[in-house]
Amino acid sequence: MSIIFLLLSVSICVAIVFFVAFIVSVKRGQYDDTYTPAVRMLFEDELVQEASETSATTIKNSTNE
Amino acid sequence: MEACYHCGDPCGKSPIIHEAKSFCCNGCKTVFDILHQNGMDYYYELERTPGTSQNKVSEHFDYLDNEAITEELLQFSEGKRQIISFEIPAIHCSSCIWVLENLSKLHPGVYNSTVNFPAKKAQIQFNQEELPLKALVLLLDRIGYTPKISLASAEVKKKSKDRSLIYKFGIAGFAFGNIMFLSFPEYFDVDEIWLEHYKPMFRTIMLLFSLPVVFYAASDYFKAAIKGLRSRMLNIDLPIALGVSVLFIRSVIDVMMDWGPGFFDSLSGLVFFLLLGRFFQQKTYSYLSFERDYKSYFPLGVTRIDRKGSKLIEEQIALKEIQKGDTLLIRSNEIIPVDGVLIRGEALIDYSFVTGEALPIHKEAGSAIFAGGKQCGASIELEVSKTVSQSYLTQLWGNKAFEKQSELRFQSLTDQISKRFTLAIVSIAIISGIAWWFIAPSMMFNVITAVLIVACPCAIALSAPFTLGNLVRLFGRHKCYVKNAAVIENWSEIDTVVFDKTGTLSTPAQSAFSYHGIPLSIEEQRLLYSSLRASNHPLSRSLYNTLEEQEIVTLDDFSETLGQGISAAKDNQHLKIGAPKFVHAQANSNHEGAVVHISSGSNYKGHYVFQSEYRPGLKHLLAVLGRNKKIAVLTGDNDSQAERLNSFLPEHTEVRYNQKPQDKLDYVKTLQEQGEKVMMIGDGLNDSGAMAQSDIGIAIAEDTNVFTPASDAILQANSFEKLPVFFALAGLGKRIIYACFGISVLYNLIGLGFAVTGHLEPVVAAILMPLSSISIVIFTTISTRFFGSRLLKSAIKNRN
């Protein structure tokens, strides 16, 4: 019956991992603004059109750093 | 009529056509050009007419040349990377987010920018070497997103966010769920030997889970209970703290002694629900600020001029560096931050933020000028007579009214109940304990703890937060934004309403001009209309807006003398518009308020008298309020328009004229000393003292984006008529809270039945607790919505 120890400790560990993830996400401010990210993700389509222009410059920038 | 492609405002009869699109003004066209040339037309595809009207006066940001000032504004600065966070009131749609987050396309000096839409803020990372802060601000200003920079923005930037409630809520929820899981075998009384074997381990884990709940998540309740006891008040936190600690101690003893599984599930559930209530109540409008004082109104810096011989040195200095005797240069549209004496130029000062007065005041060299006004005319020079903190306006903030804690002003409904409740519970616990001492002494401890556990007023503590939280949202939907839920609770207690006159009862947005004199001919009217259109003087603008629309004629001659008037000519028609001296010898200046005189050729024609218009529905509103509340009106004006004001007021209304800010504060204080609960409704900085002193201070705002003085609630001007409805809603909230108290006392009686007879099993507590809490939440939510919308509907019907 020692399997119960294993199951219990595994389940509690999983729960704690998620709990810590929650605390960290709050601390980083993910819950401060719950509106803008939802709007922002709709902009992506538009940015792709110009990707060909901008990608060249971004590559240049990234090699500099 | 066509709408402006940029801002959606009507373009009038002569729109500016550019690239086959019409614009209402050059400002809007310029913004379009900037965005169009940079390939950012997507701004206009995302939303229709996303811009804000550019028909405004530009601000000055010269003080951003001063490095000490910019240093204070930057959040982070190292080498080529600077970070700054701006408050941008113009943010209102997804196009705004898009354009601000793509600032890097407009200028390579911007690395990236992030918008926080609810807070109307943008955080921008940029390179100060390529793009100085002043240029960045001007760039934002050019595309219509002028950041709000004030004395306060430098001070608040380091304030960190308080997220402890979310942490506590998370911990309580986490522990609640896990403990429920671990209690399942106990709930169903499974008779399996292996389960019996592991019981102590299950219980120990539950105990461990409950530790952070009791010592962290519930810590606020213990603190509040101790604070209440110290000030000899039996607040609602006391029975909660008592319940939580008894629950915990009893459960620990139960587990240690192996008497039972304990009440860890009820304990964590209780704390979870209580925090849920707090969380719900904490509805905040993050883009509104209720704490604004003069600091968020004044600019960060001013221009000081120094005359050394014939040389003139201009210097940008921070506001706090201003010394008595300095000479300041106030440009057009700058705010005057100190009291002083006008030494050069002609002042035309708009005091609308201070007094609510819609029209600017004219001052000549040599006269004293008070801080807080905005110069509308050309540049002036000012000799400082008092420093910023000493001035007429800012001195008010030294008053004690601004220091007190608003939470302690009222004893809340919940606290009133909890006093009796706590006494009742403690005496029931003692009586049943004594009774059991005689029946079976071994059960005594059991029964006393059971009474204290089951009586823990979770449902009572939840009724107010949920009812008020719902009302806060309902108020918000009707454009009345309250600072916190306590404001609504206090609202139902108000018995005196004090109004400011200018800007509150009267509206600066609508004004009426009445004409006295010889009627103007059609040609004269056209000429008048066209010349007013060309003038930037505030009086001309408002007169222009009220006149009947005329054909625009091209003027042959137009000249504007600041502080005097306009002279214009078309064909053989000559018109002079403005001050009496300027216009004609016959014009007399014996009028109260603002007057615009007109002469045609050499003949004096007549004059327009400006009258501030009272808000629509004012008479009805005051009559409704006057039925069961005392009404008073305070005004800084003299009594020249008393007759007109009195026609709106119900009988026996006290009206006081010539009230200074301090007088208004004192008046409210006197009323309070007579035991009245006072609501002060005002709009300008001169009312802020009275608003801070009153039990509820409400600021009226034509536009919630602009500055409002510190207050408990901000009411949008077009919802002013709904004021009696808000009173009714607050009263409704009070009745619902009382009904909730009734229901929760019922639950408590059932629970006490179990407890007193010694039958309180953990599973009963675990069912009763969430059941009572959830039913209260459902009851209050449904009844607030149902009765609230019925009240609003009947109010609208009455008005029509």
Side-chain angles (χ1 to χ4, degrees):
Chain A
M1 274 296 149
S2 61
I3 189 73
I4 204 105
F5 284 111
L6 186 71
L7 283 176
L8 258 182
S9 42
V10 166
S11 75
I12 288 171
C13 283
V14 169
I16 286 175
V17 165
F18 277 99
F19 180 67
V20 169
F22 168 73
I23 295 288
V24 168
S25 66
V26 172
K27 201 160 234 161
R28 289 203 182 146
Q30 285 191 21
Y31 288 80
D32 289 355
D33 179 7
T34 49
Y35 181 84
T36 325
V39 177
R40 189 177 296 134
M41 73 174 210
L42 299 173
F43 299 152
E44 297 299 315
D45 293 338
E46 186 272 339
L47 289 176
V48 172
Q49 290 173 7
E50 296 181 38
S52 49
E53 282 175 45
T54 50
S55 59
T57 51
T58 43
I59 289 166
K60 224 182 265 171
N61 283 345
S62 56
T63 46
N64 285 347
E65 278 172 11
Chain B
M1 196 185 286
E2 260 182 297
C4 175
Y5 184 68
H6 177 73
C7 69
D9 282 356
C11 292
K13 274 196 176 165
S14 44
I16 300 162
I17 307 290
H18 177 67
E19 304 239 348
K21 292 164 180 93
S22 39
F23 296 93
C24 66
C25 61
N26 271 316
C28 289
K29 183 184 146 253
T30 314
V31 179
F32 169 78
D33 275 342
I34 296 172
L35 295 177
H36 183 65
Q37 279 156 19
N38 287 283
M40 294 173 80
D41 291 310
Y42 185 61
Y43 179 66
Y44 297 100
E45 287 164 31
L46 207 53
E47 300 243 352
R48 224 165 231 279
T49 62
T52 42
S53 173
Q54 294 303 303
N55 205 346
K56 49 157 199 185
V57 284
S58 59
E59 284 179 58
H60 292 274
F61 297 102
D62 287 341
Y63 53 83
L64 291 175
D65 287 333
N66 182 325
E67 238 170 72
I69 294 176
T70 53
E71 203 71 10
E72 262 187 86
L73 286 171
L74 291 172
Q75 281 180 324
F76 172 86
S77 173
E78 209 178 271
K80 289 184 172 180
R81 188 170 288 268
Q82 276 74 30
I83 301 179
I84 190 163
S85 184
F86 285 125
E87 202 178 311
I88 304 179
I91 296 178
H92 68 285
C93 67
S94 41
S95 280
C96 304
I97 302 176
W98 182 81
V99 77
L100 288 173
E101 298 209 331
N102 285 288
L103 272 183
S104 48
K105 285 187 188 166
L106 286 178
H107 198 290
V110 177
Y111 295 123
N112 69 52
S113 43
T114 320
V115 174
N116 180 336
F117 186 81
K120 301 199 177 191
K121 274 188 180 152
Q123 193 182 53
I124 299 171
Q125 289 192 32
F126 64 106
N127 182 351
Q128 211 166 24
E129 283 169 26
E130 270 187 70
L131 179 71
L133 184 63
K134 187 180 165 192
L136 174 66
V137 171
L138 289 176
L139 174 71
L140 287 168
D141 184 51
R142 263 190 16 240
I143 58 168
Y145 292 96
T146 317
K148 223 188 85 192
I149 303 171
S150 66
L151 201 52
S153 28
E155 286 176 11
V156 292
K157 70 169 189 202
K158 272 158 198 135
K159 215 170 82 184
S160 64
K161 261 199 153 162
D162 182 23
R163 303 195 184 100
S164 66
L165 185 60
I166 307 180
Y167 295 141
K168 285 173 182 165
F169 183 56
I171 284 176
F174 168 74
F176 181 41
N178 281 290
I179 292 175
M180 285 275 250
F181 252 153
L182 294 167
S183 326
F184 254 69
E186 311 268 9
Y187 288 161
F188 299 114
D189 243 347
V190 191
D191 269 335
E192 295 222 24
I193 300 160
W194 67 268
L195 213 56
E196 202 63 38
H197 183 70
Y198 286 109
K199 247 182 192 168
M201 194 183 77
F202 273 79
R203 289 173 180 176
T204 318
I205 296 173
M206 285 196 265
L207 172 66
L208 290 177
F209 271 125
S210 76
L211 289 177
V213 176
V214 174
F215 293 104
Y216 179 64
S219 56
D220 284 346
Y221 293 98
F222 290 111
K223 277 179 208 155
I226 291 168
K227 210 164 137 194
L229 276 181
R230 281 220 186 108
S231 54
R232 297 179 182 279
M233 247 173 59
L234 296 172
N235 52 14
I236 191 71
D237 301 291
L238 183 67
I240 291 174
L242 201 66
V244 169
S245 40
V246 169
L247 266 167
F248 183 67
I249 294 165
R250 162 91 189 258
S251 309
V252 171
I253 294 173
D254 273 5
V255 170
M256 295 285 186
M257 299 298 190
D258 205 17
W259 287 344
F263 298 83
F264 293 118
D265 46 353
S266 305
L267 169 68
S268 49
L270 170 83
V271 176
F272 174 73
F273 280 116
L274 287 172
L275 291 174
L276 180 71
R278 276 205 180 179
F279 198 66
F280 185 76
Q281 193 182 19
Q282 208 190 33
K283 161 86 186 174
T284 50
Y285 301 97
S286 45
Y287 65 95
L288 292 176
S289 170
F290 294 98
E291 314 295 345
R292 284 174 180 155
D293 59 9
Y294 65 93
K295 282 184 185 152
S296 33
Y297 174 57
F298 282 173
L300 263 169
V302 285
T303 314
R304 180 168 65 189
I305 43 179
D306 225 345
R307 280 211 168 73
K308 284 204 181 103
S310 59
K311 258 205 290 182
L312 190 86
I313 304 161
E314 278 191 26
E315 187 189 2
Q316 301 293 328
I317 57 164
L319 221 52
K320 53 179 180 251
E321 290 169 32
I322 299 176
Q323 302 275 323
K324 205 175 147 182
D326 282 355
T327 307
L328 302 180
L329 177 70
I330 309 286
R331 292 194 182 81
S332 173
N333 294 313
E334 278 187 341
I335 288 162
I336 299 161
V338 287
D339 294 353
V341 179
L342 186 64
I343 50 174
R344 197 178 297 250
E346 219 161 330
L348 193 65
I349 307 168
D350 170 14
Y351 278 110
S352 58
F353 281 123
V354 182
T355 59
E357 190 67 62
L359 287 173
I361 292 163
H362 181 253
K363 291 259 167 114
E364 308 233 343
S367 46
I369 289 178
F370 292 121
K374 191 191 236 181
Q375 163 69 354
C376 297
S379 305
I380 50 168
E381 283 173 31
L382 197 72
E383 192 183 297
V384 180
S385 57
K386 277 172 183 164
T387 57
V388 176
S389 55
Q390 300 281 304
S391 73
Y392 170 74
L393 185 68
T394 47
Q395 248 183 359
L396 197 61
W397 272 268
N399 195 291
K400 265 190 282 177
F402 288 94
E403 290 167 16
K404 72 177 165 216
Q405 286 281 312
S406 55
E407 286 157 36
L408 293 174
R409 268 188 280 176
F410 268 95
Q411 204 186 10
S412 70
L413 286 176
T414 319
D415 286 337
Q416 282 169 21
I417 282 277
S418 76
K419 194 174 165 185
R420 274 168 254 165
F421 185 84
T422 312
L423 290 176
I425 290 307
V426 173
S427 40
I428 290 175
I430 293 171
I431 291 168
S432 49
I434 293 170
W436 277 94
W437 174 255
F438 292 110
I439 305 165
S442 61
M443 285 290 283
M444 194 185 76
F445 170 73
N446 222 331
V447 168
I448 293 179
T449 50
V451 168
L452 292 177
I453 287 169
V454 85
C456 189
C458 178
I460 291 185
L462 282 180
S463 355
F466 273 93
T467 313
L468 298 174
N470 275 316
L471 282 176
V472 169
R473 287 163 174 79
L474 197 63
F475 274 47
R477 273 207 293 280
H478 291 274
K479 310 276 166 55
C480 177
Y481 308 98
V482 300
K483 185 162 80 178
N484 53 36
V487 173
I488 293 186
E489 205 171 339
N490 298 348
W491 202 310
S492 59
E493 309 282 323
I494 294 296
D495 39 33
T496 305
V497 187
V498 181
F499 291 95
D500 166 54
K501 190 184 80 115
T502 320
T504 305
L505 295 183
S506 67
T507 158
Q510 278 176 315
S511 43
F513 282 89
S514 53
Y515 182 72
H516 307 271
I518 311 157
L520 300 172
S521 68
I522 290 290
E523 286 81 31
E524 284 166 341
Q525 283 184 25
R526 254 183 226 155
L527 184 53
L528 172 68
Y529 190 75
S530 310
S531 40
L532 287 175
R533 184 170 181 264
S535 163
N536 266 328
H537 190 283
L539 208 53
S540 336
R541 306 273 0 146
S542 26
L543 182 56
Y544 172 76
N545 287 332
T546 47
L547 284 182
E548 229 175 285
E549 199 162 314
Q550 303 281 339
E551 200 186 317
I552 304 289
V553 291
T554 325
L555 303 170
D556 293 341
D557 179 43
F558 175 85
S559 71
E560 188 167 5
T561 319
L562 267 173
Q564 293 297 324
I566 312 166
S567 61
K570 164 83 186 165
D571 301 336
N572 291 324
Q573 200 105 44
H574 288 271
L575 217 57
K576 278 188 163 187
I577 310 157
K581 275 186 293 181
F582 175 78
V583 170
H584 200 271
Q586 268 179 18
N588 56 15
S589 49
N590 305 332
H591 289 281
E592 281 292 342
V595 181
V596 181
H597 294 269
I598 294 163
S599 72
S600 174
S602 56
N603 303 323
Y604 177 64
K605 283 294 197 179
H607 56 266
Y608 281 94
V609 180
F610 177 87
Q611 270 176 327
S612 55
E613 194 74 3
Y614 287 96
R615 290 192 190 278
L618 178 67
K619 195 167 178 163
H620 176 74
L621 178 146
L622 291 176
V624 173
L625 275 186
R627 266 178 231 154
N628 47 17
K629 310 242 175 325
K630 228 175 96 179
I631 293 177
V633 177
L634 303 179
T635 168
D637 297 353
N638 55 29
D639 55 3
S640 63
Q641 290 197 5
E643 216 170 295
R644 190 144 164 269
L645 175 63
N646 282 333
S647 67
F648 285 95
L649 303 175
E651 274 178 72
H652 309 300
T653 305
E654 189 167 359
V655 185
R656 292 198 170 197
Y657 297 96
N658 301 319
Q659 297 282 300
K660 292 200 182 67
Q662 185 68 39
D663 298 335
K664 293 186 178 184
L665 194 158
D666 291 338
Y667 178 74
V668 171
K669 208 173 181 174
T670 329
L671 283 179
Q672 283 174 327
E673 276 158 13
Q674 291 163 11
E676 312 264 354
K677 299 270 181 262
V678 184
M679 172 186 276
M680 173 76 204
I681 305 181
D683 70 305
L685 276 173
N686 62 343
D687 302 319
S688 20
M691 273 153 64
Q693 175 66 40
S694 66
D695 297 290
I696 297 181
I698 297 181
I700 300 261
E702 297 295 327
D703 171 4
T704 43
N705 285 343
V706 301
F707 173 85
T708 51
S711 57
D712 297 309
I714 298 173
L715 177 67
Q716 195 145 9
N718 52 17
S719 275
F720 181 69
E721 269 185 279
K722 292 181 186 159
L723 204 59
V725 187
F726 293 129
F727 272 98
L729 282 174
L732 169 77
K734 194 175 168 182
R735 286 196 295 280
I736 290 177
I737 292 175
Y738 277 131
C740 290
F741 288 164
I743 298 173
S744 35
V745 167
L746 207 70
Y747 277 115
N748 269 317
L749 286 177
I750 299 170
L752 280 175
F754 282 102
V756 173
T757 50
H759 293 302
L760 186 74
E761 297 294 322
V763 67
V764 175
I767 292 170
L768 208 60
M769 259 269 322
L771 183 72
S772 64
S773 305
I774 290 169
S775 58
I776 286 288
V777 170
I778 292 172
F779 170 77
T780 169
T781 306
I782 289 178
S783 53
T784 326
R785 302 236 162 142
F786 177 72
F787 290 113
S789 61
R790 222 171 58 169
L791 252 175
L792 283 163
K793 262 181 214 148
S794 70
I796 290 163
K797 217 183 282 165
N798 276 348
R799 209 186 309 150
N800 297 339

